[in-house]
Amino acid sequence: MPKLRTDIIDVYVFRRPAVVTQATSAAVQFLQLHRCKGALANTWQTIMGHAHEGETAVQTALRELEEETGFAPPVLVNLWQLEEVNIYFLASHDAMVMSPCFAAEVAPGSEPRLNDEHDAIRWLKRDQIGRHFIWPGQRQAIAGICRDILAP
């Protein structure tokens, strides 16, 4: 029987343009990191990470965000807990995973400092999400960000 895991978080990083216009919503960019190690090597992903013993999901999200990108205050403008929880089966661990999702807004023009898990980045506009985020749960989380956080 598969186990249930709740120790993995997802963080969706976005930045708004420096100049606010009527088209600002369409110009928002979402960060993807190219993984060069581990089970997801050679794929573009959002920030994902495992909780340490005694760590809350929020603490995990903030730690993973800083470890994988260097983003922390004051560059980190805001962090939101999303209603979306990614649920998927991880065959390598025979486990159902329930992964809390977070949105992290960084200052306009911010660029990540990658750790050794990643070897490239890309910023995607909203109209590119469907083509470049391969997992339905990721697309759903970004739709939630657009609807609940970025909506005018």
Side-chain angles (χ1 to χ4, degrees), residues 76-93:
L76 174 61
V77 175
N78 212 335
L79 181 77
W80 291 268
Q81 165 197 331
L82 303 179
E83 290 296 317
E84 286 74 17
V85 173
N86 284 337
I87 301 172
Y88 54 92
F89 179 68
L90 189 59
S92 61
H93 292 81

PDB file of all heavy atoms in Angstrom, residues 76-93:
ATOM      1  N   LEU A  76      12.786  39.538  -1.668  1.00  0.00           N
ATOM      2  CA  LEU A  76      11.521  38.826  -1.529  1.00  0.00           C
ATOM      3  C   LEU A  76      10.481  39.821  -1.016  1.00  0.00           C
ATOM      4  O   LEU A  76      10.543  40.267   0.123  1.00  0.00           O
ATOM      5  CB  LEU A  76      11.653  37.649  -0.557  1.00  0.00           C
ATOM      6  CG  LEU A  76      10.357  36.912  -0.213  1.00  0.00           C
ATOM      7  CD1 LEU A  76       9.716  36.310  -1.453  1.00  0.00           C
ATOM      8  CD2 LEU A  76      10.625  35.852   0.846  1.00  0.00           C
ATOM      9  N   VAL A  77       9.549  40.185  -1.881  1.00  0.00           N
ATOM     10  CA  VAL A  77       8.544  41.195  -1.560  1.00  0.00           C
ATOM     11  C   VAL A  77       7.428  40.616  -0.704  1.00  0.00           C
ATOM     12  O   VAL A  77       6.954  41.256   0.233  1.00  0.00           O
ATOM     13  CB  VAL A  77       7.959  41.807  -2.859  1.00  0.00           C
ATOM     14  CG1 VAL A  77       6.828  42.781  -2.569  1.00  0.00           C
ATOM     15  CG2 VAL A  77       9.064  42.471  -3.663  1.00  0.00           C
ATOM     16  N   ASN A  78       6.993  39.389  -1.044  1.00  0.00           N
ATOM     17  CA  ASN A  78       5.888  38.787  -0.319  1.00  0.00           C
ATOM     18  C   ASN A  78       5.872  37.287  -0.548  1.00  0.00           C
ATOM     19  O   ASN A  78       6.358  36.805  -1.566  1.00  0.00           O
ATOM     20  CB  ASN A  78       4.557  39.387  -0.777  1.00  0.00           C
ATOM     21  CG  ASN A  78       3.531  39.434   0.332  1.00  0.00           C
ATOM     22  OD1 ASN A  78       3.588  38.658   1.290  1.00  0.00           O
ATOM     23  ND2 ASN A  78       2.573  40.347   0.217  1.00  0.00           N
ATOM     24  N   LEU A  79       5.310  36.559   0.409  1.00  0.00           N
ATOM     25  CA  LEU A  79       5.120  35.118   0.293  1.00  0.00           C
ATOM     26  C   LEU A  79       3.683  34.813   0.664  1.00  0.00           C
ATOM     27  O   LEU A  79       3.204  35.257   1.711  1.00  0.00           O
ATOM     28  CB  LEU A  79       6.071  34.352   1.226  1.00  0.00           C
ATOM     29  CG  LEU A  79       5.967  32.831   1.147  1.00  0.00           C
ATOM     30  CD1 LEU A  79       6.663  32.318  -0.111  1.00  0.00           C
ATOM     31  CD2 LEU A  79       6.574  32.179   2.383  1.00  0.00           C
ATOM     32  N   TRP A  80       2.982  34.088  -0.220  1.00  0.00           N
ATOM     33  CA  TRP A  80       1.601  33.703   0.026  1.00  0.00           C
ATOM     34  C   TRP A  80       1.488  32.186   0.095  1.00  0.00           C
ATOM     35  O   TRP A  80       2.125  31.474  -0.680  1.00  0.00           O
ATOM     36  CB  TRP A  80       0.680  34.145  -1.107  1.00  0.00           C
ATOM     37  CG  TRP A  80       0.463  35.604  -1.246  1.00  0.00           C
ATOM     38  CD1 TRP A  80      -0.527  36.355  -0.689  1.00  0.00           C
ATOM     39  CD2 TRP A  80       1.223  36.511  -2.055  1.00  0.00           C
ATOM     40  NE1 TRP A  80      -0.427  37.664  -1.088  1.00  0.00           N
ATOM     41  CE2 TRP A  80       0.648  37.789  -1.930  1.00  0.00           C
ATOM     42  CE3 TRP A  80       2.356  36.371  -2.863  1.00  0.00           C
ATOM     43  CZ2 TRP A  80       1.142  38.908  -2.585  1.00  0.00           C
ATOM     44  CZ3 TRP A  80       2.858  37.472  -3.514  1.00  0.00           C
ATOM     45  CH2 TRP A  80       2.251  38.722  -3.367  1.00  0.00           C
ATOM     46  N   GLN A  81       0.647  31.724   0.977  1.00  0.00           N
ATOM     47  CA  GLN A  81       0.235  30.318   0.995  1.00  0.00           C
ATOM     48  C   GLN A  81      -0.905  30.221  -0.004  1.00  0.00           C
ATOM     49  O   GLN A  81      -1.847  31.008   0.045  1.00  0.00           O
ATOM     50  CB  GLN A  81      -0.248  29.942   2.386  1.00  0.00           C
ATOM     51  CG  GLN A  81      -1.019  28.656   2.441  1.00  0.00           C
ATOM     52  CD  GLN A  81      -1.813  28.530   3.722  1.00  0.00           C
ATOM     53  OE1 GLN A  81      -1.440  29.058   4.759  1.00  0.00           O
ATOM     54  NE2 GLN A  81      -2.926  27.836   3.641  1.00  0.00           N
ATOM     55  N   LEU A  82      -0.835  29.265  -0.920  1.00  0.00           N
ATOM     56  CA  LEU A  82      -1.906  29.072  -1.893  1.00  0.00           C
ATOM     57  C   LEU A  82      -2.899  28.043  -1.383  1.00  0.00           C
ATOM     58  O   LEU A  82      -2.556  27.190  -0.570  1.00  0.00           O
ATOM     59  CB  LEU A  82      -1.332  28.621  -3.244  1.00  0.00           C
ATOM     60  CG  LEU A  82      -0.299  29.550  -3.880  1.00  0.00           C
ATOM     61  CD1 LEU A  82       0.198  28.956  -5.187  1.00  0.00           C
ATOM     62  CD2 LEU A  82      -0.890  30.937  -4.104  1.00  0.00           C
ATOM     63  N   GLU A  83      -4.102  28.105  -1.884  1.00  0.00           N
ATOM     64  CA  GLU A  83      -5.104  27.095  -1.551  1.00  0.00           C
ATOM     65  C   GLU A  83      -4.767  25.766  -2.230  1.00  0.00           C
ATOM     66  O   GLU A  83      -5.162  24.711  -1.757  1.00  0.00           O
ATOM     67  CB  GLU A  83      -6.499  27.564  -1.979  1.00  0.00           C
ATOM     68  CG  GLU A  83      -7.027  28.713  -1.147  1.00  0.00           C
ATOM     69  CD  GLU A  83      -7.232  28.329   0.313  1.00  0.00           C
ATOM     70  OE1 GLU A  83      -7.759  27.237   0.582  1.00  0.00           O
ATOM     71  OE2 GLU A  83      -6.866  29.133   1.183  1.00  0.00           O
ATOM     72  N   GLU A  84      -4.060  25.840  -3.354  1.00  0.00           N
ATOM     73  CA  GLU A  84      -3.709  24.638  -4.104  1.00  0.00           C
ATOM     74  C   GLU A  84      -2.705  23.787  -3.332  1.00  0.00           C
ATOM     75  O   GLU A  84      -1.753  24.292  -2.740  1.00  0.00           O
ATOM     76  CB  GLU A  84      -3.108  24.988  -5.475  1.00  0.00           C
ATOM     77  CG  GLU A  84      -4.104  25.478  -6.487  1.00  0.00           C
ATOM     78  CD  GLU A  84      -4.599  26.901  -6.245  1.00  0.00           C
ATOM     79  OE1 GLU A  84      -3.960  27.648  -5.499  1.00  0.00           O
ATOM     80  OE2 GLU A  84      -5.645  27.245  -6.786  1.00  0.00           O
ATOM     81  N   VAL A  85      -2.938  22.492  -3.362  1.00  0.00           N
ATOM     82  CA  VAL A  85      -2.003  21.501  -2.840  1.00  0.00           C
ATOM     83  C   VAL A  85      -1.785  20.506  -3.974  1.00  0.00           C
ATOM     84  O   VAL A  85      -2.745  19.919  -4.476  1.00  0.00           O
ATOM     85  CB  VAL A  85      -2.567  20.772  -1.593  1.00  0.00           C
ATOM     86  CG1 VAL A  85      -1.650  19.637  -1.162  1.00  0.00           C
ATOM     87  CG2 VAL A  85      -2.786  21.754  -0.454  1.00  0.00           C
ATOM     88  N   ASN A  86      -0.541  20.369  -4.427  1.00  0.00           N
ATOM     89  CA  ASN A  86      -0.260  19.405  -5.496  1.00  0.00           C
ATOM     90  C   ASN A  86      -0.326  18.000  -4.916  1.00  0.00           C
ATOM     91  O   ASN A  86       0.306  17.710  -3.899  1.00  0.00           O
ATOM     92  CB  ASN A  86       1.112  19.659  -6.123  1.00  0.00           C
ATOM     93  CG  ASN A  86       1.103  20.846  -7.050  1.00  0.00           C
ATOM     94  OD1 ASN A  86       0.070  21.240  -7.560  1.00  0.00           O
ATOM     95  ND2 ASN A  86       2.266  21.426  -7.263  1.00  0.00           N
ATOM     96  N   ILE A  87      -1.087  17.153  -5.563  1.00  0.00           N
ATOM     97  CA  ILE A  87      -1.223  15.757  -5.133  1.00  0.00           C
ATOM     98  C   ILE A  87      -0.777  14.884  -6.295  1.00  0.00           C
ATOM     99  O   ILE A  87      -1.303  15.012  -7.409  1.00  0.00           O
ATOM    100  CB  ILE A  87      -2.674  15.426  -4.733  1.00  0.00           C
ATOM    101  CG1 ILE A  87      -3.120  16.342  -3.592  1.00  0.00           C
ATOM    102  CG2 ILE A  87      -2.793  13.956  -4.339  1.00  0.00           C
ATOM    103  CD1 ILE A  87      -4.593  16.221  -3.249  1.00  0.00           C
ATOM    104  N   TYR A  88       0.208  14.031  -6.035  1.00  0.00           N
ATOM    105  CA  TYR A  88       0.714  13.158  -7.092  1.00  0.00           C
ATOM    106  C   TYR A  88       1.323  11.900  -6.483  1.00  0.00           C
ATOM    107  O   TYR A  88       1.622  11.841  -5.295  1.00  0.00           O
ATOM    108  CB  TYR A  88       1.742  13.889  -7.965  1.00  0.00           C
ATOM    109  CG  TYR A  88       2.888  14.512  -7.198  1.00  0.00           C
ATOM    110  CD1 TYR A  88       4.068  13.820  -6.977  1.00  0.00           C
ATOM    111  CD2 TYR A  88       2.776  15.807  -6.692  1.00  0.00           C
ATOM    112  CE1 TYR A  88       5.109  14.388  -6.267  1.00  0.00           C
ATOM    113  CE2 TYR A  88       3.817  16.384  -5.986  1.00  0.00           C
ATOM    114  CZ  TYR A  88       4.987  15.666  -5.781  1.00  0.00           C
ATOM    115  OH  TYR A  88       6.012  16.230  -5.072  1.00  0.00           O
ATOM    116  N   PHE A  89       1.504  10.901  -7.336  1.00  0.00           N
ATOM    117  CA  PHE A  89       2.101   9.634  -6.926  1.00  0.00           C
ATOM    118  C   PHE A  89       3.568   9.646  -7.298  1.00  0.00           C
ATOM    119  O   PHE A  89       3.936   9.983  -8.420  1.00  0.00           O
ATOM    120  CB  PHE A  89       1.391   8.464  -7.604  1.00  0.00           C
ATOM    121  CG  PHE A  89       1.978   7.128  -7.242  1.00  0.00           C
ATOM    122  CD1 PHE A  89       1.857   6.630  -5.953  1.00  0.00           C
ATOM    123  CD2 PHE A  89       2.676   6.383  -8.176  1.00  0.00           C
ATOM    124  CE1 PHE A  89       2.403   5.408  -5.606  1.00  0.00           C
ATOM    125  CE2 PHE A  89       3.221   5.158  -7.843  1.00  0.00           C
ATOM    126  CZ  PHE A  89       3.084   4.671  -6.556  1.00  0.00           C
ATOM    127  N   LEU A  90       4.427   9.297  -6.352  1.00  0.00           N
ATOM    128  CA  LEU A  90       5.868   9.228  -6.566  1.00  0.00           C
ATOM    129  C   LEU A  90       6.268   7.759  -6.539  1.00  0.00           C
ATOM    130  O   LEU A  90       6.439   7.156  -5.477  1.00  0.00           O
ATOM    131  CB  LEU A  90       6.581  10.023  -5.463  1.00  0.00           C
ATOM    132  CG  LEU A  90       8.063  10.277  -5.595  1.00  0.00           C
ATOM    133  CD1 LEU A  90       8.379  11.036  -6.883  1.00  0.00           C
ATOM    134  CD2 LEU A  90       8.547  11.086  -4.402  1.00  0.00           C
ATOM    135  N   ALA A  91       6.369   7.157  -7.732  1.00  0.00           N
ATOM    136  CA  ALA A  91       6.602   5.715  -7.845  1.00  0.00           C
ATOM    137  C   ALA A  91       7.898   5.278  -7.179  1.00  0.00           C
ATOM    138  O   ALA A  91       7.949   4.216  -6.553  1.00  0.00           O
ATOM    139  CB  ALA A  91       6.607   5.309  -9.320  1.00  0.00           C
ATOM    140  N   SER A  92       8.947   6.098  -7.282  1.00  0.00           N
ATOM    141  CA  SER A  92      10.243   5.711  -6.713  1.00  0.00           C
ATOM    142  C   SER A  92      10.189   5.516  -5.204  1.00  0.00           C
ATOM    143  O   SER A  92      11.031   4.825  -4.634  1.00  0.00           O
ATOM    144  CB  SER A  92      11.309   6.752  -7.067  1.00  0.00           C
ATOM    145  OG  SER A  92      10.956   8.008  -6.526  1.00  0.00           O
ATOM    146  N   HIS A  93       9.190   6.112  -4.538  1.00  0.00           N
ATOM    147  CA  HIS A  93       9.026   5.987  -3.091  1.00  0.00           C
ATOM    148  C   HIS A  93       7.727   5.279  -2.711  1.00  0.00           C
ATOM    149  O   HIS A  93       7.402   5.198  -1.535  1.00  0.00           O
ATOM    150  CB  HIS A  93       9.064   7.370  -2.433  1.00  0.00           C
ATOM    151  CG  HIS A  93      10.409   8.016  -2.497  1.00  0.00           C
ATOM    152  ND1 HIS A  93      10.863   8.685  -3.613  1.00  0.00           N
ATOM    153  CD2 HIS A  93      11.401   8.073  -1.587  1.00  0.00           C
ATOM    154  CE1 HIS A  93      12.070   9.147  -3.372  1.00  0.00           C
ATOM    155  NE2 HIS A  93      12.425   8.786  -2.152  1.00  0.00           N
TER     156      HIS A  93
END
